[in-house]
Amino acid sequence: MAAVSNNEIENQALKAEIIKLKTQLSLLQDQEFLRKLNLAYTAFGVAVPNEASAEAISWTPGAAKHLVSFIADDFDAPLEDFAEYM
């Protein structure tokens, strides 16, 4: 195993942080993500940071149907972590 200097460790940490920040930035530029985020803010009664872009939700059946975009097929399957309690 090669010895790693502090500069290399710091460089690796900085590269990981840059990747994380680029991912966060791409989410902020994704209009579909922002639309869903605004819907969630409105649905839970939290003040939207930019009120001008908030969409109103009517409280009728199916009003939040666009908030969840994916649910796994095994969503309601028993969890292995709780097998001993079942």
Side-chain angles (χ1 to χ4, degrees), residues 26-38:
S26 69
L27 284 175
L28 291 175
Q29 295 171 343
D30 181 4
Q31 293 303 314
E32 180 65 14
F33 173 78
L34 291 175
R35 186 185 70 77
K36 289 181 180 181
L37 184 62
N38 283 336

Side-chain angles (χ1 to χ4, degrees), residues 5 9-10 16 23-24 30-31 35 37-38 41 50 53 59 63 66 70 72-73 78 80 83-84 86:
S5 69
I9 293 172
E10 290 174 7
T23 303
Q24 291 175 347
D30 181 4
Q31 293 303 314
R35 186 185 70 77
L37 184 62
N38 283 336
Y41 273 124
N50 183 2
S53 66
W59 292 104
H66 299 291
F70 175 77
D73 293 334
E80 293 175 9
E84 65 186 76
M86 298 177 134

Side-chain angles (χ1 to χ4, degrees), residues 1-77:
M1 183 170 167
V4 178
S5 69
N6 283 340
N7 289 338
E8 289 178 42
I9 293 172
E10 290 174 7
N11 190 22
Q12 291 172 356
L14 286 173
K15 284 181 180 179
E17 186 66 21
I18 288 170
I19 291 170
K20 180 177 137 188
L21 291 171
K22 283 183 179 180
T23 303
Q24 291 175 347
L25 180 61
S26 69
L27 284 175
L28 291 175
Q29 295 171 343
D30 181 4
Q31 293 303 314
E32 180 65 14
F33 173 78
L34 291 175
R35 186 185 70 77
K36 289 181 180 181
L37 184 62
N38 283 336
L39 286 172
Y41 273 124
T42 306
F44 294 108
V46 179
V48 177
N50 183 2
E51 283 292 333
S53 66
E55 296 179 30
I57 294 180
S58 60
W59 292 104
T60 58
K65 69 180 179 180
H66 299 291
L67 290 178
V68 178
S69 59
F70 175 77
I71 295 178
D73 293 334
D74 63 346
F75 175 76
D76 57 352

